[in-house]
Amino acid sequence: MFTKEELMRKAIALSIENVKNGGGPFGAVIAKDGEILSTGTNRVTHNCDPTAHAEVMAIRNACEKLGTFDLSGYEIYTSCEPCPMCLGAIYWAHLDKIYYGNTKTDAKDIGFDDSFIYDEIDLKPADRKLSSQQLLSEEAMEAFRQWEVKEDKTEY
Ligand SMILES: [Zn+2]
């Protein structure tokens, strides 16, 4: 059984090791009651996958291991405060708590500007740097109508 500090040290060790292995300086651990369920490191450049952040990788590994999409009862230890994508993934996974080492400002200082995306979220879509426009909303609604009345759906 590991303490909180030991679990965070593991996430930090993964982040340092990942730099040596050619990845980004990020590592994450998912645990419950001091037992490690899964780990993840940043594999964006290695996997050619912009979503392969340490937290997302740890969530994918945890869910595959348990055969579930719900990680309620588990906690995530990440070497850096999650970016908006990972924060969203952590909410979707229903993890109970986030422990983080570096802050998003620390990440910005070395060239990983997650705070830029946090700032964008506060803006109206029309005011964001990334242009977006609603299209075919009535046709898109069909899947929602079918979902609403479907009786044998798996809710998440
Ligand atoms: Zn992230």
Side-chain angles (χ1 to χ4, degrees), residues 37-40 56-66:
L37 170 65
S38 72
T39 63
V56 167
M57 297 306 285
I59 289 169
R60 286 177 186 161
N61 292 336
C63 290
E64 195 179 335
K65 210 164 168 181
L66 294 180

Side-chain angles (χ1 to χ4, degrees), residues 46-94:
H46 184 267
N47 293 7
C48 294
D49 178 356
T51 69
H53 288 193
E55 300 93 321
V56 167
M57 297 306 285
I59 289 169
R60 286 177 186 161
N61 292 336
C63 290
E64 195 179 335
K65 210 164 168 181
L66 294 180
T68 179
F69 47 79
D70 186 346
L71 297 175
S72 298
Y74 288 86
E75 300 178 328
I76 187 161
Y77 295 77
T78 174
S79 66
C80 185
E81 193 175 358
C83 75
M85 173 183 72
C86 291
L87 184 64
I90 290 165
Y91 273 107
W92 281 117
H94 304 291

Side-chain angles (χ1 to χ4, degrees), residues 109 132 140 153:
D109 289 345
S132 67
K153 63 193 170 198

